[in-house]
Amino acid sequence: MGEQQHVTFPQEVIDEYAALGVDLPALFSAGHLGTRMGVEILEASAERVVGTMPVEGNTQPYGLLHGGASAVLAETLGSVGSMLHAGSSKIAVGVDLNCTHHRGVRSGLVTGVATPLHRGRSTATYEIVISDEAGRRVCSARLTCLLRDVAASQLPGPGANG
């Protein structure tokens, strides 16, 4: 679960962050929580973010996928899409997350796909559909992020204040 992830970003995004001294592919992860939960990002662009998470280790007492685990996957994917939409001069901060849980899952891997509903200058909203291995919808989520201006010195990376 804590292994290095390989995330594919569009080359123009990698170049934009590299100009600021930030190695985006080396920097990016689903965070410590996402790592503990086994979240892996498979595809990342402002138009579509795809990630997976194992059910095992992310269940509630009845043995079903925990609704909070689905929320972590949804917020991770929507935040990545929002960050890529915003560009290197802004940070994406989640301000609203809504999750509807449709069915229980006891094992296997769930896959989330985040697609934009709105991409503006100050906010971005993504729909995230989480499905089981049979392609059945497990959870529908919607995340809205505030896009805040940030100075290059505030971006994580070498020599930054982090």
Side-chain angles (χ1 to χ4, degrees), residues 77-145:
L77 301 178
S79 293
V80 169
S82 295
M83 177 207 59
L84 291 173
H85 161 66
S88 60
S89 65
K90 295 186 180 209
I91 59 170
V93 180
V95 294
D96 182 63
L97 176 65
N98 176 288
C99 298
T100 301
H101 307 287
H102 305 291
R103 67 173 59 246
V105 181
R106 292 190 179 277
S107 63
L109 205 61
V110 291
T111 300
V113 178
T115 54
L117 296 173
H118 166 76
R119 290 188 293 169
R121 288 179 299 171
S122 60
T123 62
T125 301
Y126 280 75
E127 176 184 44
I128 304 94
V129 174
I130 299 174
S131 303
D132 64 13
E133 290 179 315
R136 297 174 297 204
R137 188 178 293 226
V138 171
C139 175
S140 297
R142 187 188 66 246
L143 174 71
T144 297
C145 288

Side-chain angles (χ1 to χ4, degrees), residues 8 29 37-38 50 53 65 77 102 117-118 129 142 144 146 148 154 159:
T8 303
S29 75
M37 296 181 72
V50 180
M53 181 180 66
L65 177 65
L77 301 178
H102 305 291
L117 296 173
H118 166 76
V129 174
R142 187 188 66 246
T144 297
L146 176 66
R148 296 184 54 195
Q154 293 176 294

Side-chain angles (χ1 to χ4, degrees), residues 20-50:
L20 298 170
V22 177
D23 182 354
L24 189 61
L27 171 70
F28 184 79
S29 75
H32 295 294
L33 178 60
T35 299
R36 279 196 305 273
M37 296 181 72
V39 173
E40 291 191 39
I41 307 297
L42 306 177
E43 176 185 331
S45 73
E47 293 77 31
R48 179 178 155 97
V49 182
V50 180

